[in-house]
Amino acid sequence: MLRKIIVNICRMLLAVVFIFSGFVKAIDPLGTVYKMQDYLAAAHSAIAAAPEWLLTACAIALSTMEFLLGIFLFFGFHRRVVTKLTLVFMVIMTAITTWIWIADPVKDCGCFGDALILTNTQTLLKNIILLACAVTVALRHDDIIRYISLDTQWIVVNYTILFIAGITAWSLYDLPLFDFRPYHVGADFRQDTEIPEGAEQPQFETTFILQKNGEQREFTIDNYPDSTWTFVDSHTTQTSEGYVPPMHDFSIEDKATGTNLTDSIAKRDGYTFLLIAPDLEKAADSNFGYIDRIYEYCTANGYPFCCLTASGDKAQQEWRDKTGAEYPFYFTDHTTLKTMIRSNPGLMLLKDGKIIGKWSHNNLPAINEESPMADKAGIADNVKKSNSRKALSVILWFIIPLILLTLADRLWTWSKWVKRIALIKERKQQNKNNNDNEKKDCSRQLENES
């Protein structure tokens, strides 16, 4: 009994982690692609230069596999195969995170996307625990309790595949369903780029290399020796990072003049429209007509509109030639732009330095130069649903249907069990009655013969 409890605790821990990990990757497949590129570049792999569509396909396959393994473990489907696949997966992941822990090529493993950031040490410890759980369930898979009968499990399997495929497709077409990055709707450039008063400051330690009588030694400021020692060299290391603002890498620069425009654009009063295009060379240009209409709307109403990009002058000019763009282009770090919005290009709307709207190039707001001003046009209200409402949508569309199906399946299974027990009792009673009748017949026959 204790063994069975331990096996099912391990199975549930694996299931919850896999479901969560697969889901947060599925809602942000491009984020998974960027993390894969970081890994491959750190490993000096030629695959890092692979086409983005190939890495995207790998990211989708990874998130889908994790999510399905989690659901299958949770409900107890295909126990022998699923537990073995889980063990193989955890062996591979543990080996990778061991390399990451030793080599430290990246600071965040990306296991849970941007939803939960773990250090490399935390990631390795997590995977060691999950590997132990995977070994346990693989060795004792027969002790896993099923929650759905064989007759019904096909519904859960197909519904799960449709759900995770739909979530992934929508996140690629539009924007991630949940935005855990610093530049989410509601974030404030005025607050999130500044270090608040009283916050912990970074700490540094300087080591001095001094020489005396041909001997070199290292000293700190606390044990600095007398003047008989001769200075040779020094080096400074950071011992504590201190408080790091969420938007610590954000800046806007006019390359032509060398002017920093961060405050005048991102922190200005009123509405500001930012077109975010990390790579103009790869930016989708199928909807540039909508972008031009939004720019004309901004010009007519006095709203600033500019494009933030990491591309150079040549790419900017090619974009102008291709789309007829008349708005200005400013430089922002490539990684920062990819973090700001998962669309190339994408549109961001600020009001008084606060992000109040984000749109993919596939789902731009329907406005033009004849639309009323933003306060009356409704564009300021056309923002993404809050995380709580989106979480409720996931619960209503996925979790509740599975709960209802499980309850119906258990009720149906219980009713069949009750009927089976009743049938067995009925048959036993019939057999008993038949035996009693046979005994009576035998008794009568004996009496007649006597």
Side-chain angles (χ1 to χ4, degrees), residues 195-199 201:
I195 298 179
E197 186 177 351
Q201 299 296 315

Side-chain angles (χ1 to χ4, degrees), residues 318-337:
E318 289 178 352
W319 180 262
R320 290 190 184 96
D321 295 339
K322 188 188 302 181
T323 65
E326 298 178 357
Y327 39 82
F329 292 81
Y330 301 123
F331 177 82
T332 298
D333 177 73
H334 186 262
T335 301
T336 300
L337 292 173

Side-chain angles (χ1 to χ4, degrees), residues 282-297:
K282 302 177 183 178
D285 57 5
S286 56
N287 294 315
F288 70 85
Y290 288 96
I291 297 172
D292 289 342
R293 282 197 286 273
I294 295 171
Y295 170 67
E296 291 166 359
Y297 166 81

Side-chain angles (χ1 to χ4, degrees), residues 118-131:
L118 299 178
T119 65
N120 292 338
T121 300
Q122 291 170 337
T123 301
L124 179 59
L125 292 175
K126 182 246 325 171
N127 281 353
I128 290 173
I129 294 172
L130 293 180
L131 178 60

Side-chain angles (χ1 to χ4, degrees), residues 22 44 64 68 95 101 157 209 365:
H44 305 290
T64 303
L68 289 176
W101 180 69
V157 172
I209 302 174

